[in-house]
Amino acid sequence: MLLKLDQKVSIKHWTLEAGIYVYVGSAMGDLSARVARHLRKNKRKHWHIDYLLEHAKVLSVVMLPSERRLEEEISSRLSKKFDGPEGFGSSDLKVKTNLYRLNDLNEFFKIIEEMVRTP
């Protein structure tokens, strides 16, 4: 999910600068239902992304349906090019975060394109 923060915000124990971010998530059951839930305005806050979405504008949603769990792999690839707040949305993974501040959209889409082309 591509997000835009127009101003600096504090969420839980993280402070996020204004900018463009990507949040990496997963839904092994019903991907469309999970995304729809995230896009709803009125919902019980459960995940870190729920708190961020109170402040951020959703620019785009990129879905990669797969029988494999791709969340950690995508996040790992993004971590080689982008930084993000440690522990955001990644407590059950071996990556430091699932939220990355993007300073190069072309590089982000290049990584996603590689993921789509990789069987």
Side-chain angles (χ1 to χ4, degrees):
M1 186 176 293
L2 281 173
L3 308 166
K4 181 179 181 188
L5 281 177
D6 287 325
Q7 59 191 14
K8 183 179 187 175
V9 297
S10 292
I11 298 166
K12 296 202 170 240
H13 60 274
W14 298 287
T15 299
L16 304 172
E17 298 295 327
I20 305 295
Y21 290 81
V22 63
Y23 172 74
V24 181
S26 69
M28 292 309 293
D30 188 342
L31 183 59
S32 296
R34 175 66 60 90
V35 170
R37 183 206 177 277
H38 285 320
L39 296 177
R40 281 198 323 255
K41 294 290 181 194
N42 299 315
K43 62 183 170 268
R44 185 177 145 267
K45 290 178 202 67
H46 179 71
W47 293 289
H48 296 145
I49 187 66
D50 295 333
Y51 295 91
L52 177 57
L53 288 171
E54 289 185 325
H55 306 280
K57 289 185 225 173
V58 176
L59 300 177
S60 179
V61 175
V62 178
M63 295 191 292
L64 300 176
S66 175
E67 297 297 319
R68 294 186 308 124
R69 286 195 158 282
L70 296 176
E71 177 184 11
E72 193 166 340
E73 184 179 347
I74 293 168
S75 197
S76 179
R77 288 185 186 201
L78 290 171
S79 72
K80 293 175 180 147
K81 299 288 183 176
F82 306 107
D83 291 319
E86 190 166 342
F88 194 102
S90 62
S91 59
D92 59 339
L93 303 172
K94 295 175 185 165
V95 292
K96 77 170 199 168
T97 188
N98 261 352
L99 181 69
Y100 297 92
R101 188 160 190 257
L102 301 181
N103 53 8
D104 184 341
L105 278 174
N106 289 329
E107 187 63 33
F108 165 71
F109 284 112
K110 181 180 168 187
I111 292 168
I112 296 304
E113 181 181 359
E114 289 170 2
M115 291 293 303
V116 171
R117 291 176 189 257
T118 303

